Amino acid sequence: MHPQISVIICTHNPSHDRLSRVLRALQAQTLQPELWDLLLIDNASETPVTITSEEASRVAIRVVREDELGLTPARLRGIRESKGELLIFVDDDNVLDDTYLANANTIAATYPFIGAFGGSITGEFEESPPYWAVRYLPWLAICEIDRDYWSNLTNWSLAVPYGTGLCVRRAVAEDYARKASANPLRRALGRKGAALTSGEDNDLAICAIDLGMGTGRFRRLTLTHL
């Protein structure tokens, strides 16, 4: 039996301390282990990523190597390798609240008209950001919400989820994969090595609208972006 949810982590030369926190938070999820699986895409890391037995203590982690550098190729590989009907993309610096997967599973069942969704994102900093930087934090995928949002409009709004903790239905992910695989411009979006180009997460989420669904963000989905 396939899992209901596949969690996909794409990582390139990760910080061991941060990645370990991400994995510990996933091992602490309240959703029953048999309902989800965990896939880690090692995106051309200089030192291959390895997982300790403690980091895989409750839910087994499958590590897949993707040698084409870039977040978009890594996510496309994750879509191909995954089995769940709901895919949840977790970056290697995203620490999920322990109810994240359970709440995502409930939201997917309750709102079948929403094809891609995310949550409320809190930032954790090594040093407090200066006052002038606070207005720019949403551009770093740090954006808390105090209510739910959803929409079926293609322009960006608070209803469009970030790639941080992004949840997408398999039909949406596969539609995006077909389009991105056939379009070099779409494949060029997303971080690649030291380049911080972004936008593939919006592209992926808005494919839900192409399929007649919508996008949303829910305050009960909470995570910390390191």
Side-chain angles (χ1 to χ4, degrees):
M1 183 177 70
H2 292 324
Q4 295 180 16
I5 292 175
S6 287
V7 177
I8 302 170
I9 302 174
C10 299
T11 188
H12 169 70
N13 292 339
S15 157
H16 179 267
D17 290 343
R18 286 198 294 269
L19 180 58
S20 184
R21 280 187 63 184
V22 171
L23 295 175
R24 289 198 303 271
L26 284 165
Q27 296 295 333
Q29 291 296 303
T30 60
L31 185 67
Q32 303 95 302
E34 63 270 18
L35 297 182
W36 62 283
D37 64 0
L38 180 51
L39 178 62
L40 190 149
I41 306 298
D42 177 4
N43 184 215
S45 296
E46 294 172 10
T47 301
V49 176
T50 57
I51 302 299
T52 67
S53 58
E54 180 182 1
E55 291 167 340
S57 59
R58 183 168 175 263
V59 177
I61 304 172
R62 186 160 61 99
V63 179
V64 175
R65 175 83 175 186
E66 172 54 57
D67 287 322
E68 182 181 352
L69 183 62
L71 182 54
T72 299
R75 284 187 165 165
L76 291 174
R77 182 67 180 272
I79 293 169
R80 292 198 304 271
E81 296 281 347
S82 63
K83 303 296 184 183
E85 287 303 313
L86 183 69
L87 311 186
I88 301 182
F89 291 93
V90 178
D91 290 340
D92 60 11
D93 56 4
N94 297 168
V95 179
L96 303 188
D97 181 82
D98 60 6
T99 61
Y100 199 96
L101 299 189
N103 284 334
N105 198 41
T106 299
I107 289 167
T110 306
Y111 301 93
F113 54 87
I114 295 181
F117 56 91
S120 184
I121 307 167
T122 302
E124 180 182 312
F125 302 89
E126 294 178 351
E127 298 180 11
S128 296
Y131 74 92
W132 56 262
V134 172
R135 63 185 294 189
Y136 301 107
L137 294 183
W139 299 105
L140 300 177
I142 298 170
C143 184
E144 297 181 60
I145 55 175
D146 58 7
R147 49 158 288 207
D148 296 341
Y149 296 86
W150 60 74
S151 172
N152 63 352
L153 302 177
T154 54
N155 56 300
W156 191 91
S157 71
L158 284 173
V160 178
Y162 294 89
T164 307
L166 172 63
C167 308
V168 295
R169 298 184 188 275
R170 172 159 294 281
V172 175
E174 291 180 345
D175 180 66
Y176 165 76
R178 286 191 293 270
K179 292 172 178 174
S181 297
N183 188 329
L185 292 178
R186 296 179 102 143
R187 286 184 68 88
L189 297 174
R191 297 186 297 279
K192 185 174 182 178
L196 298 180
T197 306
S198 190
E200 89 298 329
D201 50 353
N202 289 346
D203 191 22
L204 172 53
I206 290 175
C207 282
I209 298 170
D210 295 342
L211 296 180
M213 293 181 279
T215 64
R217 291 178 66 206
F218 295 84
R219 62 180 179 174
R220 78 188 88 163
L221 292 177
T222 57
L223 65 89
T224 301
H225 189 181
L226 306 180

